[in-house]
């Protein structure tokens, strides 16, 4: 998608601080971190939001979780824990319309979610 910010990051047209990359998935540090460690995991394929996940994407979405686990282990926050967030649509507060999973870690986030 030509006018999508995260597709531009996938293509390398916009730089990012990469944490993980394979042929299907990219993970990079959020430019405006909400927690001491804030990483975004995205599919390289353009999927606008959670609503648009198709049956054929199920393995890809599962892989995003496996990548999050790998990152948690490699970055050393697996044992202390972390929060995964996917914002969807207006009420979900989604600002970038390319599916992404936030990994928030590095401090206690407490039990309250919203
Ligand atoms: P959303 O609100 O859509 O769930 O989250 C979008 C996230 O993308 C925000 O946390 C924001 O800080 C991050 N973001 C926006 N533009 C850029 C960028 O150019 N580079 C990086 N690394 N993160 C970005
Ligand atoms: Zn995109």
């Amino acid at each position: 998608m030509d006018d999508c910010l995260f597709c531009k990051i996938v293509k390398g047209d916009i730089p990012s601080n990469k944490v993980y990359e394979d042929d299907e998935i990219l993970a990079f540090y959020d430019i405006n971190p909400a927690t001491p460690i804030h990483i975004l995991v995205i599919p390289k394929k353009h999927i606008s939001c959670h609503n648009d996940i198709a049956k054929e994407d199920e393995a890809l979405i599962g892989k995003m979780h496996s990548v999050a686990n790998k990152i948690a282990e490699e970055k050393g926050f697996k044992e202390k824990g972390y929060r995964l967030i996917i914002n969807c649509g207006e009420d979900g507060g989604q600002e970038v319309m390319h599916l992404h999973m936030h990994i928030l870690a590095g401090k206690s986030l407490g039990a309250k979610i919203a």
Side-chain angles (χ1 to χ4, degrees), residues 5-6 9 14-17 28-34 38 40 85-89 92-98 100-102 104:
L5 176 67
F6 286 175
I9 286 178
I14 293 175
S16 66
N17 193 354
F28 51 95
Y29 286 101
D30 196 290
I31 205 167
N32 184 23
H38 186 171
L40 302 174
I85 297 175
I86 295 177
N87 295 326
C88 180
Q94 185 178 3
E95 291 182 336
V96 178
M97 294 307 291
H98 180 128
H100 51 281
M101 175 194 282
H102 298 256
L104 301 176

Side-chain angles (χ1 to χ4, degrees), residues 2 10 26 31 37 41 45-47 66 70 76 93 109:
D2 285 351
V10 167
L26 180 66
I31 205 167
I37 303 168
V41 181
K45 170 185 176 180
H46 181 87
I47 299 171
S66 296
K70 188 177 166 63
L109 295 163

